[in-house]
């Protein structure tokens, strides 16, 4: 095991999902904003339902195994991680704060006042949830929209923020599970925001893109336009519903249904041969034969229902007409033909999103279910470029009292 002092610039990203726990260890790549993945830990998840920790002991075991594997393959000692926080309680709101100018020039103090008022506005919108993240959306001065308002002249300055809210209980339980493993929670990012950092280009964020991250038990949506976030939401269903449908329709176990979905799953009847039969081997035993067209019809029906719901959600939020592209990511996006079904229902250009800013030898990095973990590493890299050492995946030196504060209270 290499010593930490020889590997100061590495980032540890932890995605604790309902189906798997994925830990990536990465260091800055040779190109700007690129990452080189040097270690991966990928283990089945226990103790997590609908994106929320429900059994701390089981979750700790899964996290510990994934982190141990990632550290071993990277040859480093991991003591701090960036984690993704999700769950079906995640909600969003666009909030604004103002500073009065009365025709004078905008100063730095005006910007700070507008930002403070925007935060206060976001806190008033919580509605029983906790404020997880405030994402700056730029400033308005009169009819001008800008990222650099200092020096402009107007009647008032407005600071726009996108606020993400979630369950404080879930956040505390995730932090507790990570600390039980002996790790410091350096920072966390909401699932859809993290996934977007890994798979969307700046051009896509400008032109109008909806990212739909289909996990095992939850689906996250986030919509960008002109570089700003218009809408974020999470729904309590995901790819596990595909598995359950197959289990019910075919009269088989969930384990056999999952294996069938992964090996023979398809959404397009055009890809099925007349009379085609599928038969798979699970744990050394061969299943009975199944008509593949029934499997495909079952999956296609559920996929179409999901995207019909997503279309209505986007329309009700008033953002459907501002979307030019839909990017599908997460484990559910690996179902063959799902992109074509999404295009037919949403009437938008559709592509499958895989991590774009990471390099490495593992085939896992070319899969859509690595998007959240890769996006966390991207967030850590961007934080490190601004200077602070807190982005790095090693334990910081601190006083004894400081250590107690981290252990009992956390850093966020």
């Amino acid at each position: 095991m290499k010593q930490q002092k020889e590997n100061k610039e590495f980032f540890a990203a932890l995605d604790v999902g309902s189906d798997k726990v994925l830990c990536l260890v990465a260091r800055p790549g040779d190109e700007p904003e690129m990452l080189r993945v040097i270690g991966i830990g990928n283990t089945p998840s226990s103790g997590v339902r609908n994106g929320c920790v429900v059994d701390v002991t089981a979750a700790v075991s899964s996290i510990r195994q994934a982190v141990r594997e990632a550290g071993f393959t990277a040859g480093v000692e991991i003591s701090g991680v960036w984690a993704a926080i999700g769950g079906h309680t995640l909600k969003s709101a666009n909030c604004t704060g103002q500073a009065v100018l009365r025709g004078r020039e905008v100063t730095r103090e005006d910007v700070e006042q507008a930002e403070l008022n925007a935060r206060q506005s976001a806190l008033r919108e919580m509605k029983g949830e906790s404020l997880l993240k405030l994402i700056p959306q730029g400033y308005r001065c009169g009819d001008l929209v800008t990222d650099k308002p200092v020096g402009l002249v107007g009647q008032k300055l407005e600071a726009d923020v996108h606020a993400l809210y979630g369950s404080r209980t879930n956040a505390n339980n995730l932090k507790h599970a990570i600390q039980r493993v002996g790790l410091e929670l350096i920072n966390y990012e909401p699932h859809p925001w993290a996934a977007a950092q890994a798979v969307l280009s700046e051009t896509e964020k400008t032109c109008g893109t909806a990212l739909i991250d289909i996990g095992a038990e939850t689906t996250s949506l986030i919509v960008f336009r002109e570089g700003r976030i218009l809408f974020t939401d999470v729904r309590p269903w995901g790819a596990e519903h595909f598995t359950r449908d197959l289990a019910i329709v075919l009269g088989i176990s969930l384990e056999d249904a999952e294996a069938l979905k992964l090996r023979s799953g398809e959404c397009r009847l055009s890809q099925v041969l007349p009379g085609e039969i599928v038969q798979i081997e699970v744990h050394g035993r061969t299943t009975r034969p199944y008509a593949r067209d029934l499997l495909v019809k079952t999956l296609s029906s559920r996929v179409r229902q999901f995207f019909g719901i997503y279309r209505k959600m986007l329309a009700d939020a008033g953002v459907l007409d501002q979307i030019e592209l839909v990017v599908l990511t997460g484990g559910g996006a690996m179902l063959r033909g799902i992109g074509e079904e999404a295009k037919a229902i949403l009437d938008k250009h559709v592509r499958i999103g895989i991590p774009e800013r990471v390099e490495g030898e593992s085939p896992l990095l070319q899969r859509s279910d690595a998007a959240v973990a890769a996006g966390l590493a991207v967030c850590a890299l961007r934080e490190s470029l601004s200077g602070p050492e807190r982005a790095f995946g090693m334990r910081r030196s601190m006083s004894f009292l400081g250590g107690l504060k981290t252990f009992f209270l956390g850093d966020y």
Side-chain angles (χ1 to χ4, degrees):
M1 184 75 67
K2 297 178 182 179
Q3 297 298 316
Q4 290 185 37
K5 64 182 180 180
E6 298 174 359
N7 293 273
K8 290 185 178 179
E9 292 189 359
F10 70 84
F11 316 100
L14 185 66
D15 177 16
V16 182
S18 301
D19 180 63
K20 71 178 188 311
V21 177
L22 179 59
C23 182
L24 297 183
V25 179
R27 59 173 176 78
D30 296 330
E31 300 295 327
E33 291 230 348
M34 289 295 293
L35 286 161
R36 179 74 182 178
V37 174
I38 58 175
I40 294 177
N42 185 17
T43 64
S45 180
S46 298
V48 180
R49 298 295 297 175
N50 291 319
C52 298
V53 174
V54 296
D55 183 335
V56 172
T57 301
V60 165
S61 178
S62 297
I63 293 170
R64 179 179 287 116
Q65 184 178 349
V67 172
R68 183 184 294 127
E69 288 183 6
F72 179 79
T73 55
V76 299
E77 180 183 351
I78 300 172
S79 54
V81 296
W82 284 58
I85 187 166
H88 61 279
T89 61
L90 192 67
K91 302 295 180 185
S92 71
N94 290 313
C95 304
T96 299
Q98 296 184 0
V100 178
L101 302 175
R102 295 189 177 90
R104 62 176 174 79
E105 184 177 295
V106 177
T107 66
R108 183 63 235 173
E109 289 73 20
D110 295 321
V111 173
E112 292 173 354
Q113 184 63 54
E115 291 172 346
L116 176 61
N117 290 338
R119 178 178 178 82
Q120 294 301 317
S121 175
L123 290 172
R124 289 193 295 270
E125 291 287 335
M126 287 197 300
K127 299 176 181 177
E129 301 292 347
S130 295
L131 179 61
L132 299 179
K133 189 175 183 68
L134 277 180
I135 303 172
Q137 301 286 280
Y139 307 88
R140 285 176 289 168
C141 187
D143 57 359
L144 297 178
V145 178
T146 180
D147 290 328
K148 298 179 180 180
V150 174
L152 297 178
V153 175
Q155 295 301 311
K156 65 180 179 179
L157 174 70
E158 296 179 310
D160 296 327
V161 296
H162 187 74
L164 291 173
Y165 306 95
S167 165
R168 177 177 293 275
T169 300
N170 183 39
N172 287 338
N173 284 328
L174 175 62
K175 178 178 66 173
H176 183 51
I178 290 171
Q179 290 177 335
R180 283 268 300 271
V181 178
L183 299 171
E184 177 188 358
L185 177 56
I186 298 174
N187 205 341
Y188 64 84
E189 300 288 351
H191 265 259
W193 169 256
Q197 307 317 302
V199 304
L200 298 187
S201 68
E202 295 306 313
T203 297
E204 289 169 339
K205 292 177 183 178
T206 298
C207 295
T209 297
L211 182 139
I212 302 179
D213 180 11
I214 308 172
E217 295 181 349
T218 59
T219 296
S220 305
L221 295 90
I222 187 167
V223 179
F224 291 85
R225 180 83 182 193
E226 301 299 336
R228 298 182 172 206
I229 302 174
L230 304 183
F231 176 70
T232 306
D233 203 354
V234 177
R235 294 297 159 128
W237 58 73
E240 187 177 297
H241 281 69
F242 305 155
T243 304
R244 293 183 180 184
D245 287 350
L246 290 178
I248 294 298
V249 171
L250 301 179
I252 59 179
S253 68
L254 287 171
E255 183 182 31
D256 286 358
E258 180 69 11
L260 268 175
K261 181 185 74 173
L262 294 177
R263 300 180 196 180
S264 302
E266 171 65 67
C267 295
R268 301 160 296 186
L269 276 175
S270 61
Q271 301 300 307
V272 180
L273 299 174
E276 184 177 358
I277 299 296
V278 293
Q279 197 171 17
I280 62 172
E281 187 174 300
V282 181
H283 298 318
R285 60 179 175 79
T286 302
T287 66
R288 64 182 176 86
Y290 306 99
R292 193 168 187 234
D293 64 343
L294 179 58
L295 182 148
V296 173
K297 288 177 181 178
T298 301
L299 292 172
S300 176
S301 176
R302 179 64 81 174
V303 167
R304 285 178 168 267
Q305 180 195 36
F306 276 8
F307 283 107
I309 295 172
Y310 302 151
R311 181 185 177 91
K312 185 177 187 302
M313 286 174 58
L314 296 169
D316 290 347
V319 298
L320 182 63
D321 293 339
Q322 301 191 59
I323 297 170
E324 305 295 334
L325 171 70
V326 173
V327 177
L328 305 180
T329 193
M334 295 191 291
L335 180 62
R336 286 180 287 274
I338 195 170
E340 287 85 342
E341 294 292 304
K343 182 177 181 180
I345 300 299
L346 299 174
D347 194 26
K348 305 289 182 182
H349 298 292
V350 177
R351 73 170 178 86
I352 305 301
I354 62 174
E356 300 286 346
R357 296 179 175 87
V358 296
E359 306 167 335
E361 306 301 327
S362 174
L364 178 64
L365 299 177
Q366 300 302 313
R367 289 172 27 175
S368 55
D369 60 344
V372 171
L376 288 170
V378 171
C379 292
L381 173 64
R382 289 173 177 167
E383 178 76 10
S384 74
L385 295 176
S386 65
E389 292 183 356
R390 286 180 44 76
F392 300 136
M394 78 288 292
R395 195 178 310 280
R396 298 169 297 146
S397 60
M398 60 175 64
S399 66
F400 177 71
L401 289 177
L404 288 180
K405 180 181 178 183
T406 297
F407 182 80
F408 290 112
L409 302 176
D411 283 324
Y412 60 87

